Amino acid sequence: MSRVYNFSAGPSTLPVSVLKKAGAEILDYKGSGQSVMEMSHRSKVFDDIIKEAEALMRELYKIPEKYKVLFLQGGASAQFSAIPLNFMTKNKKADYIITGQWAKKAFAEARKYGDAKAVASSEDKTFSYIPKTKAEDFREGADYVYICMNNTIYGTVYKELPPVGDKVLIADISSCALSEPLDISRFGMVYFGAQKNVAPAGLVVAIIREDLLGAAADICPVMMNYKVQADADSLYNTPPCWTIYICKLVLEWIKETFGDLSGLKEHNEKKAAVLYDFLDSSKMFRGTVVKEDRSLMNVPFVTDSEELNAKFIKEAAAAGFVNLKGHRSVGGMRASIYNAMPIDGVKELVSFMEKFEKENA
Ligand SMILES: *Cc1c(COP(=O)(O)O)cnc(C)c1O
């Protein structure tokens, strides 16, 4: 058996120890005689799994009591519609900051349901930076302000939250979920599709301040109504049981390996620095994002030649470094180095890049 280093932006690499554990438990989960894929979502065994996943999530993110943790489906993209349907209902207006394709898609959905306004954008420079905002940029009476925290495609991240005052802030944290501590109390809601950093595809985790629930629009589909999901403890219908189970294993892995999210952040910073330091010293490769907004998770880079980019991606794949092609809207390369990417994977990638640079100078 040989495993590659998988730099995919999502679905993405999972910790080997988690995969092994899931493998070992696949026929008989803890003496139940079944796999988690087969068991009732109303069984005691599964109830323990989902409760444990929630408890670990609360512990790692230090989630305040007055927040609900929901396990949902539909991907992050379904929340693009669910968010305005649940929260853009008081004054029917919301402010969006456009930092990439995902924020743009969320904004397009919100416009269907009310007065959504793009209050800032970095599209002028292919989303290579986080636009600065001032308190005055946000409208009086906006039901919420929406951001995409880490921009998977472009490799930018918010290091400081926008100055929204006491307005409700909602963030898509799909591609930086559980990668570092986050003060949940500053948000009305954060959510993430699990397939970037936490589990296989099929699960969205939403962390929502309780007092915001219960104001959904009449036309809100029942499956998208966060209050319904919260009242049913995420079991309104069949949840993605297997993915929730893997999520639990990944949370256990984070705790066992790094202690807490500060420990994990330290590890992620060290890991990203290996690649960024090389990009800053290389004469052939360079990062595409302004330094102060660089993501720890997604690292886009280019050479000055399309041919060299293509040659690099091909030779890297042959050497066991896969999925390094940049998103089609940006081109070049992108290395996604999520929590589960070992530091050795990045070190070996950099050695390969050094060798490639020498051979093609
Ligand atoms: C991948 C991604 C999405 C879309 O996720 P789906 O689960 O495929 O809908 C949304 N936002 C961000 C930041 C992402 O990285």
Side-chain angles (χ1 to χ4, degrees):
M1 190 202 68
S2 80
R3 280 179 58 86
V4 292
Y5 284 121
N6 179 9
F7 294 91
S8 170
S12 36
T13 194
L14 286 164
V16 170
S17 64
V18 164
L19 296 173
K20 281 191 174 151
K21 180 140 200 217
E25 292 179 335
I26 202 156
L27 291 179
D28 179 8
Y29 178 75
K30 295 198 172 163
S32 67
Q34 317 155 53
S35 95
V36 179
M37 278 186 256
E38 302 166 298
M39 63 181 53
S40 165
H41 58 292
R42 311 261 175 219
S43 63
K44 171 81 174 80
V45 197
F46 183 73
D47 192 56
D48 288 348
I49 292 173
I50 192 167
K51 291 235 166 77
E52 183 61 22
E54 175 172 345
L56 285 163
M57 193 78 72
R58 285 187 177 277
E59 182 185 339
L60 285 168
Y61 258 144
K62 302 189 162 72
I63 300 174
E65 290 260 350
K66 57 178 195 225
Y67 284 74
K68 290 279 186 193
V69 177
L70 305 182
F71 296 93
L72 308 168
Q73 298 191 62
S77 300
Q79 315 320 309
F80 298 168
S81 325
I83 286 163
L85 284 165
N86 279 271
F87 304 124
M88 197 171 56
T89 53
K90 199 165 151 213
N91 297 320
K92 298 198 167 44
K93 59 184 189 181
D95 291 346
Y96 279 68
I97 302 181
I98 311 299
T99 50
Q101 295 301 333
W102 297 120
K104 226 171 146 172
K105 285 186 170 165
F107 174 56
E109 279 304 294
R111 292 181 74 187
K112 294 180 185 171
Y113 303 111
D115 172 15
K117 183 182 175 198
V119 293
S121 166
S122 50
E123 191 158 20
D124 59 334
K125 290 185 182 152
T126 329
F127 300 117
S128 58
Y129 68 105
I130 297 287
K132 298 266 181 305
T133 47
K134 304 182 291 298
E136 317 72 282
D137 294 334
F138 305 104
R139 291 180 295 174
E140 205 50 57
D143 289 329
Y144 60 84
V145 176
Y146 182 100
I147 61 169
C148 181
M149 190 89 163
N150 184 81
N151 295 280
T152 326
I153 296 174
Y154 306 93
T156 60
V157 69
Y158 276 89
K159 305 237 160 112
E160 239 172 76
L161 295 177
V164 300
D166 55 8
K167 292 190 179 63
V168 171
L169 182 61
I170 295 182
D172 175 356
I173 60 165
S174 292
S175 51
C176 58
L178 293 154
S179 64
E180 57 179 289
L182 188 64
D183 181 358
I184 300 293
S185 72
R186 298 191 60 187
F187 299 87
M189 165 176 174
V190 301
Y191 72 97
F192 55 91
Q195 73 274 20
K196 306 287 160 68
N197 223 351
V198 186
L203 170 68
V204 171
V205 176
I207 304 170
I208 306 176
R209 219 175 67 206
E210 259 170 27
D211 65 290
L212 297 171
L213 295 170
D218 292 339
I219 59 157
C220 181
V222 66
M223 278 295 290
M224 287 190 176
N225 189 319
Y226 295 134
K227 176 82 164 67
V228 170
Q229 298 284 3
D231 287 347
D233 291 328
S234 304
L235 297 175
Y236 173 75
N237 73 330
T238 320
C241 303
W242 170 258
T243 309
I244 292 169
Y245 157 66
I246 303 288
C247 171
K248 178 186 93 98
L249 295 184
V250 169
L251 296 171
E252 286 169 352
W253 169 79
I254 291 175
K255 217 178 130 176
E256 279 158 23
T257 316
F258 306 101
D260 57 18
L261 293 185
S262 302
L264 181 48
K265 179 185 191 185
E266 217 172 280
H267 169 80
N268 283 332
E269 282 175 339
K270 232 164 60 189
K271 190 169 66 180
V274 172
L275 184 49
Y276 282 125
D277 288 350
F278 170 71
L279 290 172
D280 291 342
S281 67
S282 165
K283 292 197 173 59
M284 175 178 282
F285 297 100
R286 65 186 157 80
T288 56
V289 167
V290 301
K291 278 192 189 170
E292 65 265 28
D293 296 330
R294 281 173 165 176
S295 165
L296 291 180
M297 298 282 103
N298 310 98
V299 185
F301 56 94
V302 293
T303 72
D304 287 326
S305 140
E306 284 301 327
E307 281 98 53
L308 265 187
N309 290 348
K311 185 167 189 249
F312 174 77
I313 291 161
K314 195 166 158 227
E315 291 183 10
F321 307 98
V322 307
N323 291 319
L324 280 166
K325 196 170 185 328
H327 189 270
R328 59 192 180 279
S329 64
V330 189
M333 283 71 74
R334 169 179 51 172
S336 294
I337 50 174
Y338 295 122
N339 291 341
M341 171 59 65
I343 200 156
D344 282 347
V346 178
K347 285 185 181 159
E348 287 178 36
L349 172 66
V350 164
S351 305
F352 179 81
M353 290 167 79
E354 282 168 343
K355 184 167 137 275
F356 184 89
E357 182 166 344
K358 276 199 200 99
E359 285 169 4
N360 294 276

